[in-house]
C-alpha cells in the first residue's frame, strides 16, 4: 500500500506543479493585511490556477528568495510599499540572482507611492526608465473615466493591446476597456531586444507631476506612444521580469468597476481578464516553448535493381555527411552512385497553462533552420510535417554545400513573449571518397577528351602497323643493278 500512496502523492504533486511550467510557489511582498485585502480577487484567481501564495512584508526576517543558491520561491510579486526601501532581502543583486536562477518577477508600481531609488536604478540597468519625479503620473484629457476622474483625468481608459508586429503572437488581446488609475509611465531603451512593451498609452497621454501647481507642462517625461504602461523583459535564460504601471488596476475596486468615457455608455472594465493574461505570461503559464526530439539524416530514396525497388533511409543523427549530397530523382539505377539529400526534423511543444500542446505561431512568422560554418550556407523555413497530441514536428530537406569542414545545424528562434529556442548540433562534412566520384564516361562533358584519347591510341597503332609492314629498300641490291 505504501507504493500506492507514493504514486498518488507524486501524481497530485505533478498536477499542481503542472499549472505553471516553472513551479507554483508565489511570494507576494505587501505592506500589511489591509493592503493585502484590496487584492483578494487577484489572490483567489491565482490560487484557483494552482499557485501556492505566501505573503511577507518587505523587511520581514522570513523573507528569503534564495537559500544556498536554490530558489525558495518560483515567482515574486512586489506591490508598492510606504517605506523608502525594500530591505536587504530584495536588494538589486538579490533580484538579479533570482532571475539568474530562472525566477520570475512581477513588479507593480503606483503614482500614489514613490518608487525606491534602488529599484529605479535596477530598472535603468534593464533599459526600463522611470520618471525622475517619483510622484509623476500619466494623464489623458481625451481617454479617461468620467465617473471617477472627471477633474484630474488620471484614470486612463485603454483598449486591450494589439500585437506589436505582424509576426508576434498576441497573448494579451481581447475585448473591453481597461481602467488604469494613477499609472506610472515607463520608457524603453532601444538598445536591448529583450525588452518589450505589453501595453502603451494613447497618443493624447502625457506625464506630469501633480505636486507642481502649473497650468501647463513645459517638458514632460514622455508623451503618447512613448509611454509604456506595462513593460516586460525576458532574460536569455527565459526568466521573466514584468513591470505593471498601475497596482490599483489589480485591486478589487477596478475588477468590478463600471467606467464611462467621454463618449459612450457605462461599461464594465476588463481589468480582471487583462490581469489574468499578464500574470499568466509573467509566471510562465503561456508563451513557453519546449524542444523535443531533434533528428537529422539522409533523406529516403528508392534504389532500383533487377526491377525491384528498395527503400533506404540514412541512419539517425550521423556525425559525418558528404559534400554535394543532391537529389535529382527519387529513383536511381544500380549502376549510378547512391546520392541523397539531408532531412532535418525538430519537435516543438507550447505550454498552454495546464499541459503542452502543438505550438501556434503567427501566420507571418517562420521557424528557420541554418546550416552554418561561421556564416550560414543555408537558411530554410521549417514546415509542419506531422502533429502529435502534444507537439508539432517541423521538417525541411536540403543539399549539403560543396565545402568540407565542420558545420552546425542551428535553430535560433527568438520572438517577443516566447521563450527562446536555441538548438545547435555539429556535424562534419567530408569530400568525396576515391570510389565515389562518377566514372568519366558518365560525364558528357568528358566525351571529347575520351574520344581524343582513343583517337591518339588508334593513330599510334596505325603508325606502328605502317612502320612494321613498310620494309625499306636494300641499298646493296640497288648498287648491283646499277653495275
Amino acid at each position: 500500500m505504501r507504493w500506492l500512496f507514493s504514486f498518488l502523492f507524486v501524481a497530485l504533486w505533478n498536477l499542481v506543479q503542472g499549472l505553471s511550467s516553472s513551479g507554483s510557489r508565489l511570494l507576494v511582498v505587501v505592506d500589511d493585511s489591509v493592503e493585502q485585502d484590496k487584492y483578494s480577487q487577484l489572490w483567489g484567481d491565482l490560487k484557483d490556477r494552482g499557485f501556492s501564495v505566501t505573503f511577507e512584508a518587505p523587511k520581514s526576517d522570513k523573507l528569503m528568495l534564495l537559500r544556498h543558491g536554490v530558489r525558495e520561491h518560483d515567482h515574486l510579486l512586489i506591490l508598492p510599499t510606504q517605506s523608502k526601501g525594500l530591505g536587504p532581502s530584495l536588494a538589486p543583486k538579490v533580484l538579479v540572482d533570482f532571475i539568474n536562477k530562472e525566477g520570475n518577477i512581477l513588479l507593480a508600481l503606483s503614482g500614489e507611492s514613490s518608487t525606491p531609488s534602488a529599484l529605479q536604478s535596477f530598472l535603468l540597468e534593464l533599459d526600463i526608465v522611470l520618471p525622475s519625479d517619483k510622484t509623476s503620473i500619466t494623464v489623458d484629457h481625451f481617454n479617461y473615466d468620467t465617473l471617477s476622474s472627471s477633474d484630474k483625468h488620471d484614470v486612463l481608459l485603454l483598449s486591450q493591446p494589439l500585437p506589436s508586429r505582424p509576426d508576434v503572437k498576441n497573448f494579451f488581446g481581447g475585448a473591453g476597456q481597461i481602467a488604469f488609475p494613477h499609472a506610472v509611465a515607463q520608457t524603453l531603451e532601444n538598445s536591448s531586444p529583450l525588452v518589450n512593451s505589453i501595453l502603451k498609452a494613447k497618443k493624447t497621454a502625457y506625464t506630469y507631476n501633480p505636486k507642481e501647481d502649473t497650468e501647463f507642462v513645459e517638458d514632460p517625461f514622455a508623451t503618447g506612444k512613448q509611454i509604456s504602461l506595462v513593460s516586460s523583459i525576458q532574460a536569455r535564460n527565459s526568466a521573466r521580469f514584468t513591470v505593471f504601471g498601475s497596482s490599483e488596476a489589480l485591486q478589487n475596486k477596478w475588477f468590478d468597476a463600471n467606467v464611462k468615457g467621454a463618449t459612450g455608455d457605462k461599461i464594465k472594465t476588463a481589468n480582471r481578464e487583462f490581469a489574468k493574461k499578464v500574470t499568466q505570461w509573467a509566471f510562465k503559464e503561456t508563451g513557453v516553448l519546449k524542444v523535443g526530439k531533434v533528428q537529422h539524416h539522409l533523406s529516403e530514396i528508392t534504389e532500383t535493381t533487377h526491377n525491384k525497388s528498395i527503400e533506404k533511409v540514412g541512419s539517425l543523427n550521423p556525425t559525418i555527411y558528404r559534400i554535394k549530397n543532391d537529389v535529382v530523382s527519387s529513383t536511381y539505377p544500380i549502376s549510378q552512385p547512391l546520392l541523397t539529400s539531408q532531412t532535418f526534423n525538430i519537435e516543438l511543444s507550447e505550454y498552454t497553462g495546464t499541459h503542452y500542446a502543438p505550438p501556434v505561431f503567427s501566420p507571418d512568422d517562420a521557424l528557420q533552420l541554418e546550416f552554418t560554418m561561421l556564416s550560414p550556407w543555408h537558411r530554410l523555413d521549417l514546415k509542419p510535417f506531422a502533429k502529435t497530441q502534444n507537439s508539432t514536428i517541423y521538417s525541411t530537406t536540403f543539399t549539403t554545400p560543396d565545402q568540407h569542414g565542420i558545420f552546425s545545424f542551428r535553430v535560433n528562434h527568438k520572438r517577443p513573449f516566447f521563450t527562446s529556442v536555441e538548438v545547435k548540433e555539429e556535424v562534419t562534412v567530408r569530400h568525396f571518397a576515391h570510389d565515389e566520384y562518377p566514372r568519366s564516361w558518365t560525364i558528357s562533358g568528358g566525351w571529347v577528351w575520351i574520344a581524343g584519347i582513343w583517337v591518339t591510341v588508334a593513330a599510334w597503332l596505325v603508325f606502328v602497323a605502317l612502320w612494321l609492314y613498310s620494309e625499306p629498300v636494300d641499298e646493296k641490291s640497288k648498287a648491283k643493278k646499277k653495275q
Side-chain angles (χ1 to χ4, degrees):
M1 292 296 291
R2 183 178 297 177
W3 67 268
L4 179 60
F5 286 114
S6 300
F7 175 78
L8 292 174
F9 175 77
V10 171
L12 291 173
W13 177 258
N14 289 335
L15 178 63
V16 173
Q17 290 288 333
L19 298 179
S20 173
S21 62
S22 59
S24 60
R25 300 171 299 176
L26 172 62
L27 173 64
V28 179
V29 178
V30 61
D31 267 338
D32 50 38
S33 58
V34 176
E35 288 292 320
Q36 177 181 327
D37 293 339
K38 294 180 181 179
Y39 304 88
S40 59
Q41 292 188 31
L42 176 62
W43 312 143
D45 291 344
L46 291 170
K47 291 177 181 178
D48 290 342
R49 280 155 42 196
F51 285 95
S52 174
V53 184
T54 304
F55 300 94
E56 293 291 349
K59 298 182 179 180
S60 171
D61 296 335
K62 298 179 181 179
L63 198 158
M64 183 177 294
L65 298 181
L66 301 171
R67 184 188 296 272
H68 306 304
V70 180
R71 292 197 320 253
E72 284 285 290
H73 305 276
D74 303 308
H75 317 285
L76 174 65
L77 171 57
I78 304 176
L79 293 175
T81 65
Q82 299 301 322
S83 58
K84 295 183 179 181
L86 295 177
S89 299
L90 295 175
K93 184 181 183 304
V94 177
L95 297 179
V96 170
D97 292 339
F98 184 70
I99 293 174
N100 289 337
K101 295 296 182 180
E102 299 185 11
N104 306 302
I105 301 176
L106 175 58
L107 172 64
L109 305 176
S110 173
E112 296 294 304
S113 60
S114 60
T115 305
S117 300
L119 204 53
Q120 278 191 321
S121 301
F122 174 66
L123 292 176
L124 187 61
E125 292 183 8
L126 301 180
D127 286 340
I128 300 176
V129 184
L130 300 183
S132 56
D133 296 331
K134 296 183 179 181
T135 56
S136 290
I137 59 173
T138 306
V139 297
D140 191 334
H141 301 305
F142 296 89
N143 303 282
Y144 63 95
D145 179 26
T146 58
L147 301 179
S148 59
S149 62
S150 57
D151 297 331
K152 296 182 178 180
H153 303 172
D154 57 355
V155 179
L156 310 183
L157 293 184
L158 304 166
S159 302
Q160 298 201 51
L162 298 173
S164 56
R165 296 190 331 226
D167 61 338
V168 174
K169 184 177 179 179
N170 190 6
F171 291 99
F172 313 100
Q177 295 283 311
I178 308 168
F180 243 68
H182 317 304
V184 177
Q186 308 137 45
T187 59
L188 309 181
E189 299 290 339
N190 297 324
S191 59
S192 175
L194 306 177
V195 181
N196 293 282
S197 176
I198 295 176
L199 181 66
K200 291 185 177 182
K202 293 192 175 181
K203 295 180 180 179
T204 50
Y206 66 94
T207 61
Y208 90 107
N209 189 349
K211 292 184 178 180
E212 295 179 359
D213 189 12
T214 57
E215 295 182 357
F216 58 90
V217 179
E218 293 184 356
D219 188 15
F221 168 72
T223 60
K225 295 292 184 180
Q226 296 175 338
I227 300 174
S228 176
L229 299 174
V230 182
S231 308
S232 67
I233 178 170
Q234 185 166 253
R236 299 190 187 278
N237 64 353
S238 295
R240 293 171 175 176
F241 187 96
T242 309
V243 181
F244 202 91
S246 172
S247 62
E248 289 86 350
L250 301 174
Q251 294 177 357
N252 302 339
K253 173 184 176 180
W254 295 103
F255 272 21
D256 301 323
N258 291 318
V259 294
K260 183 178 181 299
T263 59
D265 302 326
K266 286 184 181 180
I267 57 173
K268 190 175 180 180
T269 63
N271 284 36
R272 189 168 194 167
E273 179 187 356
F274 182 67
K276 179 181 178 181
K277 292 176 181 177
V278 172
T279 54
Q280 281 181 329
W281 184 86
F283 300 147
K284 282 190 180 177
E285 295 176 81
T286 57
V288 179
L289 296 177
K290 183 180 74 171
V291 179
K293 293 181 180 179
V294 177
Q295 297 178 341
H296 53 88
H297 56 82
L298 294 177
S299 299
E300 180 178 338
I301 60 93
T302 303
E303 185 184 89
T304 303
T305 175
H306 304 299
N307 296 326
K308 293 183 179 180
S309 298
I310 302 174
E311 299 291 339
K312 289 189 176 182
V313 179
S315 59
L316 288 178
N317 301 336
T319 57
I320 298 179
Y321 287 97
R322 197 203 65 201
I323 65 171
K324 297 178 67 175
N325 282 152
D326 199 4
V327 171
V328 178
S329 173
S330 60
T331 303
Y332 295 90
I334 190 62
S335 59
Q336 293 187 6
L338 196 63
L339 299 177
T340 57
S341 64
Q342 288 174 256
T343 297
F344 179 87
N345 301 323
I346 184 171
E347 183 182 19
L348 287 183
S349 304
E350 180 182 355
Y351 194 71
T352 59
T354 56
H355 64 283
Y356 282 97
V360 179
F361 297 117
S362 170
D364 297 319
D365 195 8
L367 183 68
Q368 292 187 321
L369 166 70
E370 291 182 350
F371 193 63
T372 177
M373 182 177 66
L374 298 181
S375 60
W377 288 74
H378 289 292
R379 183 179 285 120
L380 306 168
D381 289 348
L382 289 163
K383 303 295 184 182
F385 173 73
K387 280 191 177 183
T388 67
Q389 185 177 0
N390 304 108
S391 63
T392 300
I393 299 173
Y394 296 85
S395 179
T396 190
T397 300
F398 65 96
T399 302
T400 53
D402 187 10
Q403 173 67 46
H404 64 275
I406 305 299
F407 283 79
S408 298
F409 294 98
R410 297 193 67 180
V411 178
N412 189 7
H413 186 79
K414 295 179 180 177
R415 298 292 184 273
F417 310 119
F418 270 118
T419 55
S420 302
V421 175
E422 293 187 68
V423 175
K424 180 180 179 181
E425 293 200 8
E426 291 186 350
V427 294
T428 301
V429 177
R430 62 174 176 83
H431 49 67
F432 280 97
H434 71 280
D435 59 347
E436 290 179 330
Y437 286 96
R439 299 305 179 186
S440 57
W441 55 81
T442 63
I443 303 175
S444 59
W447 291 350
V448 175
W449 312 105
I450 296 173
I453 292 172
W454 287 110
V455 167
T456 303
V457 172
W460 173 252
L461 293 176
V462 171
F463 171 75
V464 170
L466 291 175
W467 178 265
L468 293 176
Y469 293 98
S470 297
E471 184 179 359
V473 179
D474 190 2
E475 295 293 337
K476 293 182 179 180
S477 61
K478 284 184 178 181
K480 288 180 179 179
K481 287 180 180 180
K482 288 180 181 181
Q483 291 176 358

